[in-house]
């Protein structure tokens, strides 16, 4: 199953160093039956994009935590890692597309990496600071989330990850 793992720049750096990605809490997103039911229309490609978008929002939450811990020197970029794995458990307690995986994701299971470009960093940093408020219905915070989500994530092949991290 194709899954979308929310991440951060330090997680990409560890992926390059260790050859595997350790998702926080095993949380990922995928085209689940519940996600399919949430949309009245859309083909599989559009619904996969919706799952990736949920992972991108979860990446904002991870960034918010890192910034809260004083990690201001890291690039404010959403990171989503697409991978193909077999052992996936549905998570009906979370978002429509939420799933759980067990263990690390090896580099050879990664299909692509999606990362904000540098021009998105200001909007992403602002959004990461208010993502919790947006989740609770704050319309001003939701506007800032929308500003970040207006930036499309750039696509990278697994073979480009080390180069991407090196360039920073």
């Amino acid at each position: 199953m194709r899954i979308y793992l929310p991440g951060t720049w330090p997680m990409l750096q560890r992926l390059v160093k260790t050859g595997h990605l350790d998702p926080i809490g095993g949380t990922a997103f995928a085209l689940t039956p519940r996600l399919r039911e949430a949309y009245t229309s859309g083909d599989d490609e559009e619904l996969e994009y919706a799952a990736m978008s949920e992972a991108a929002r979860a990446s904002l939450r991870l960034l918010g935590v890192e910034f809260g811990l004083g990690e201001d020197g890291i690039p404010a970029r959403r990171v989503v890692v697409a991978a193909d794995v077999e052992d996936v458990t549905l998570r009906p307690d979370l978002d429509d597309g939420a799933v759980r995986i067990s263990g690390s994701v090896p580099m050879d299971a990664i299909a692509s990496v999606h990362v904000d470009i540098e021009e998105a960093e200001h909007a992403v940093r602002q959004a990461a600071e208010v993502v919790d408020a947006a989740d609770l219905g704050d319309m001003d915070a939701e506007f800032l989330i929308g500003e970040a989500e207006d930036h499309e994530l750039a696509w990278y092949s697994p073979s480009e990850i080390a180069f991407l991290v090196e360039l920073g």
Side-chain angles (χ1 to χ4, degrees):
M1 169 181 266
R2 173 65 50 94
I3 61 168
Y4 300 92
L5 300 145
T8 62
W9 197 263
M11 291 172 74
L12 272 186
Q13 291 170 319
R14 285 190 295 279
L15 170 62
V16 169
K17 189 175 187 176
T18 66
H20 62 271
L21 180 71
D22 293 310
I24 305 295
T27 300
F29 297 85
L31 175 49
T32 64
R34 191 167 149 202
L35 181 67
R36 190 178 297 283
E37 289 173 10
Y39 286 84
T40 58
S41 66
D43 60 18
D44 283 356
E45 186 175 328
E46 291 169 315
L47 296 175
E48 291 275 348
Y49 184 81
M52 187 174 83
S53 296
E54 286 189 20
R57 178 150 314 188
S59 176
L60 281 176
R61 292 182 188 103
L62 295 176
L63 281 169
V65 170
E66 286 184 352
F67 295 151
L69 296 174
E71 296 289 337
D72 293 326
I74 65 168
R77 297 182 191 182
R78 295 170 296 163
V79 173
V80 176
V81 177
D84 296 311
V85 299
E86 297 300 321
D87 189 20
V88 176
T89 305
L90 297 178
R91 294 282 312 266
D93 57 318
L94 294 177
D95 295 337
D96 291 335
V99 296
R100 173 172 280 138
I101 64 167
S102 59
S104 298
V105 177
M107 183 69 87
D108 63 357
I110 294 175
S112 59
V113 174
H114 307 264
V115 181
D116 278 308
I117 60 173
E118 188 175 347
E119 286 77 23
E121 286 192 29
H122 177 73
V124 169
R125 183 173 292 280
Q126 286 186 315
E129 292 172 358
V130 299
V131 68
D132 290 336
D135 288 343
L136 295 173
D138 182 314
M139 294 308 292
D140 291 331
E142 189 61 44
F143 175 79
L144 292 174
I145 299 294
E147 291 286 312
E149 290 176 344
D150 283 346
H151 293 274
E152 289 291 324
L153 300 174
W155 179 94
Y156 296 92
S157 160
S159 65
E160 298 173 302
I161 299 170
F163 186 67
L164 171 67
V165 167
E166 183 181 316
L167 289 179

